[in-house]
Amino acid sequence: QAKRQGRSRMCYFSAELADKAQEYLTIESKLRRALENSELQLYYQPQVDLATGDIVAAEALLRWHSDELGWVSPDRMIPVAEEGGLIIALGRWIIEECCRTIRGYHRSSGNWFPIAVNVSARQFLEPGFTDELVEIVRFYDIPPSLLELELTESMMLDDVGKAIETMKALSFKGFKIALDDFGTGYTSLAYLKQFPVSKLKLDRAFVTDVHRDVNDAAIAEALVTFTRVMGLSLVAEGIEESVQHECLNLMGFRFGQGYLFSRPLPKDQFISLLETKLGVSFVRTIPPD
Ligand code: C2E
Ligand code: MG
Ligand code: MG
Ligand code: MG
């Protein structure tokens, strides 16, 4: 009896696995075609100076509306792209698209604007990643310091030595590195000291209740002190309410990002926002490298 139950349960699980595999295959082939047919888009979410409201940078976020699947979130498509290796071509497209945006904005406004781009583990660990980036920024003729690579702690775990080596090579070539979703991973302070990162992004998990949870508040405040001592820049992610904004501002956070300021926007809308929100004098203060 138990045996039979066990067997039917196994069938149930393998059917579920088969569904999962099927979903992967479906997304993967449609995503491959979407990339070829230019159906993918980057949206841009502003990063703002919490004291002044000025837009200081933007994060590029991948968007895909499939005719058959509807909106497919990055959290669903990136793992699929990683699994099948499509991430290499997709990642390259994402970085080139960011460079085209930086270049285009410079052409139309005369100003340089920095963009942060998410990099996946497989993309980051692929041999030749640094060389490829160097080649791309040369081609688009933009200062590498305008491209900020957002990495997560989890992608350092497999081979910390290699990760540090790659980060050093990237930073030597002038690229900026930010540690994304900070606080949710397992980076020890000993490692963090060796990472050539210039920015930490405190994960939304600590920001949501920062104004009413003593533990989150303590972590946030400690991070302000810590990043100041380490000479790192600090961004709070996922600010949705003005109480969070006020609280973080009082704590000494300089930068933030979240729906309170703006959702991620299609490129044209983002550029319009930039033009209305940014005094030219402000943009000029961003060094062209
Ligand atoms: P992430 O890099 O931590 O990006 C922040 C996510 O939080 C984005 O979700 C953004 O839309 C969302 N967000 C921003 N402000 C708020 C807020 O105030 N409240 C809430 N609830 N959410 C907010 P999204 O675009 O769905 O991306 C999810 C994750 O997928 C990203 O997390 C990133 O890890 C990954 N991702 C997105 N675009 C790319 C890409 O081009 N390449 C790679 N490799 N990964 C990407
Ligand atoms: Mg990010
Ligand atoms: Mg994040
Ligand atoms: Mg995230």
Side-chain angles (χ1 to χ4, degrees), residues 59 118 150 152 179-182 201-204 237 257:
E59 176 177 6
N118 293 285
E150 293 198 357
T152 59
L179 222 43
D180 203 354
D181 304 345
F182 189 75
K201 298 186 78 179
L202 179 62
D203 194 77
R204 177 162 59 91
E237 289 193 282
Q257 197 180 332

Side-chain angles (χ1 to χ4, degrees), residues 50-269:
L50 294 180
T52 62
D54 287 323
I55 299 175
V56 295
E59 176 177 6
L61 295 156
L62 186 60
R63 293 293 179 265
W64 175 30
H65 187 270
S66 150
D67 287 341
E68 293 126 305
L69 304 171
W71 286 101
V72 184
S73 74
D75 285 328
R76 246 172 100 206
M77 65 181 135
I78 296 292
V80 175
E82 284 223 302
E83 181 88 13
L86 183 61
I87 193 68
I88 302 303
L90 177 59
R92 185 182 173 107
W93 178 82
I94 291 167
I95 286 168
E96 289 203 55
E97 185 63 16
C98 287
C99 291
R100 283 190 283 269
T101 300
I102 294 172
R103 176 42 56 217
Y105 186 71
H106 183 262
R107 196 175 292 131
S108 65
S109 72
N111 297 312
W112 290 113
F113 187 77
I115 293 183
V117 58
N118 293 285
V119 174
S120 86
R122 182 147 175 201
Q123 196 186 354
F124 174 71
L125 294 172
E126 180 79 4
F129 177 62
T130 308
D131 293 342
E132 186 182 34
L133 282 185
V134 169
E135 175 217 316
I136 294 172
V137 295
R138 276 210 190 117
F139 180 82
Y140 288 98
D141 196 19
I142 65 166
S145 60
L146 294 177
L147 207 57
E148 180 167 76
L149 310 168
E150 293 198 357
L151 311 177
T152 59
E153 300 163 76
S154 58
M155 52 202 264
M156 321 283 173
L157 291 183
D158 275 352
D159 189 343
V160 181
K162 188 180 174 213
I164 291 176
E165 200 180 294
T166 307
M167 283 192 279
K168 285 196 171 143
L170 287 165
S171 102
F172 182 74
K173 294 293 183 188
F175 297 98
K176 292 275 188 294
I177 300 175
L179 222 43
D180 203 354
D181 304 345
F182 189 75
T184 60
Y186 301 93
T187 307
S188 74
L189 294 180
Y191 278 137
L192 191 59
K193 205 175 72 176
Q194 298 179 54
F195 290 168
V197 300
S198 53
K199 184 187 274 185
L200 299 184
K201 298 186 78 179
L202 179 62
D203 194 77
R204 177 162 59 91
F206 301 93
V207 170
T208 304
D209 291 322
V210 72
H211 56 292
R212 57 182 175 206
D213 181 306
V214 285
N215 295 313
D216 292 349
I219 290 168
E221 286 204 283
L223 204 55
V224 171
T225 309
F226 175 75
T227 49
R228 202 168 275 159
V229 173
M230 301 282 284
L232 300 171
S233 138
L234 179 61
V235 178
E237 289 193 282
I239 302 175
E240 295 182 349
E241 297 167 35
S242 37
V243 275
Q244 297 158 349
H245 174 199
E246 279 155 28
C247 181
L248 292 159
N249 198 18
L250 286 173
M251 286 175 167
F253 275 72
R254 200 118 184 247
F255 305 112
Q257 197 180 332
Y259 295 166
L260 177 68
F261 309 108
S262 170
R263 296 206 165 235
L265 300 171
K267 180 167 159 174
D268 293 352
Q269 281 181 43

